[in-house]
Amino acid sequence: MNGWSRLEKVIGWAGLSVNAFAKSIGLKRAENLYQIKKGNNSISKDLSELIAMKYCSISKSWLLTGEGNMFTEDAEKTERELLSTIKRIPFYNYDISMLKTENGKFPPTERYIEVPLLDNCDFATLCVGESMTPDIPSGSILTLKEISIDRLLPGEIYYIVTDEFCTVKFLRTVENDRSKLRLVPGNKDDYDEMILDKNAIRHLFLVKGVISYKIL
């Protein structure tokens, strides 16, 4: 791997353009970097120090020689420790109301996702239908945390499981009747509000995160 290939790898890792990367390390212009790309210059000690000063996880030795690893030993150790603490979230890509629970727990699955900021969730599943658009596009992945009915926070989005169906809705209280809840859709143009008896809820999950994507 030549000098430009190493530099290009760092720029890609930083998620910047060549010009933006040059500015990020204190260069007024990116001309020096382009000269390295053309093969006219190599990565100098001064340039490696500028990069390592801004991006302290990058190894100066690797930048200069290409030997060893791109990241410093401390950075690699930190990354390994972080990865080891990330909890894999069970993922069900079908309607979980069809699942039979045993001792209040859902059966194991062979599918998992890893989302560091949401690793305290119990599991993830697909959201199908258009009732919660635009808040939750159809096909999104929901990360869920089970809660007891007495810890419900009115106004939040919940995944509700009954013996007959499961659905994702805003939950609100019913005035003058604490035994029931209002299931409010996000898409009120096409979907109606429902009233549900609290006793009908088998499982209640707070929607902690929504992962959506676009097909281009």
Side-chain angles (χ1 to χ4, degrees):
M1 184 181 292
N2 60 27
W4 171 250
S5 296
R6 296 195 297 276
L7 188 57
E8 187 178 37
K9 189 173 182 180
V10 175
I11 294 171
W13 168 81
L16 300 173
S17 66
V18 176
N19 290 329
F21 182 80
K23 290 181 180 179
S24 76
I25 61 175
L27 298 178
K28 293 182 179 180
R29 299 186 305 164
E31 182 60 27
N32 185 24
L33 305 187
Y34 285 116
Q35 289 299 322
I36 296 173
K37 182 177 182 180
K38 294 176 181 178
N40 297 330
N41 291 340
S42 58
I43 298 176
S44 66
K45 184 178 179 180
D46 289 342
L47 179 59
S48 69
E49 288 180 350
L50 285 175
I51 294 172
M53 188 180 302
K54 173 65 177 179
Y55 303 102
C56 56
S57 58
I58 301 298
S59 167
K60 287 192 293 183
S61 175
W62 176 83
L63 279 170
L64 291 168
T65 67
E67 297 178 359
N69 297 318
M70 174 177 166
F71 299 104
T72 63
E73 290 185 7
D74 288 343
E76 289 189 334
K77 180 180 178 182
T78 299
E79 185 175 4
R80 287 195 300 269
E81 290 175 347
L82 176 62
L83 290 173
S84 68
T85 61
I86 295 175
K87 174 187 172 183
R88 296 196 308 162
I89 304 172
F91 173 63
Y92 299 94
N93 62 343
Y94 43 80
D95 185 341
I96 66 166
S97 66
M98 304 299 294
L99 296 176
K100 293 183 178 179
T101 59
E102 185 174 343
N103 297 323
K105 295 183 179 181
F106 289 99
T109 175
E110 295 181 356
R111 295 182 174 89
Y112 294 86
I113 63 173
E114 293 181 1
V115 187
L117 295 179
L118 297 171
D119 61 1
N120 65 333
C121 296
D122 294 318
F123 72 93
T125 190
L126 287 176
C127 177
V128 295
E130 305 287 342
S131 69
M132 287 304 293
T133 59
D135 298 270
I136 305 177
S138 179
S140 298
I141 294 175
L142 306 178
T143 57
L144 309 172
K145 180 71 174 179
E146 188 163 19
I147 66 167
S148 59
I149 193 74
D150 59 328
R151 294 183 59 194
L152 182 146
L153 296 174
E156 295 288 344
I157 300 177
Y158 291 88
Y159 192 99
I160 305 106
V161 180
T162 73
D163 288 328
E164 298 179 355
F165 64 87
C166 65
T167 186
V168 182
K169 294 291 186 293
F170 290 103
L171 283 188
R172 301 186 184 278
T173 54
V174 174
E175 189 174 357
N176 300 323
D177 192 344
R178 292 181 175 273
S179 68
K180 300 183 185 301
L181 291 169
R182 295 166 53 206
L183 277 59
V184 183
N187 178 7
K188 295 182 180 178
D189 293 334
D190 300 317
Y191 293 85
D192 295 329
E193 183 175 317
M194 296 172 56
I195 301 296
L196 182 68
D197 194 307
K198 286 183 179 181
N199 292 331
I201 297 177
R202 182 153 53 95
H203 295 281
L204 183 64
F205 301 90
L206 175 65
V207 176
K208 298 278 288 184
V210 178
I211 305 171
S212 61
Y213 62 93
K214 293 182 179 179
I215 300 176
L216 301 178

